[in-house]
Amino acid sequence: MARPQMLKLPEVLEEIGMSRAAFYRMRARGQAPRLRKLPNGQVRVSRADLDTWWERCEQQAA
C-alpha cells in the first residue's frame, strides 16, 4: 500500500511517538518537520519533509 503524500498531524504524532505539546515545543525551537496549513485551517506534513526530518535526527544522533 502506498504511503500518503500529505499526513495529518495526528498521523505524524503517532509515527514519531510524540505528544502534540512536545511537537509544538520542538516546532517553536525550529526542530520539527515543516507544517503546511490548508485554506480550511487544517495542517499537514508532507511525507518527504517527515522522511528528511527523520534522516536529520539520525545523523545528529550518530
Side-chain angles (χ1 to χ4, degrees):
M1 184 174 187
R3 295 188 293 189
Q5 294 299 310
M6 298 298 286
L7 302 168
K8 295 178 181 177
L9 186 56
E11 295 171 325
V12 172
L13 296 175
E14 182 178 336
E15 184 171 329
I16 64 177
M18 186 176 289
S19 71
R20 183 180 297 264
F23 180 86
Y24 277 104
R25 282 192 301 271
M26 280 183 47
R27 185 171 182 256
R29 293 188 306 259
Q31 299 173 335
R34 187 175 98 177
L35 291 179
R36 298 173 194 233
K37 193 167 190 176
L38 302 178
N40 65 3
Q42 295 180 1
V43 293
R44 298 286 189 273
V45 176
S46 79
R47 170 51 67 182
D49 287 347
L50 184 59
D51 289 345
T52 300
W53 177 79
W54 269 121
E55 289 174 18
R56 254 187 323 191
C57 289
E58 290 174 356
Q59 291 171 357
Q60 291 174 355

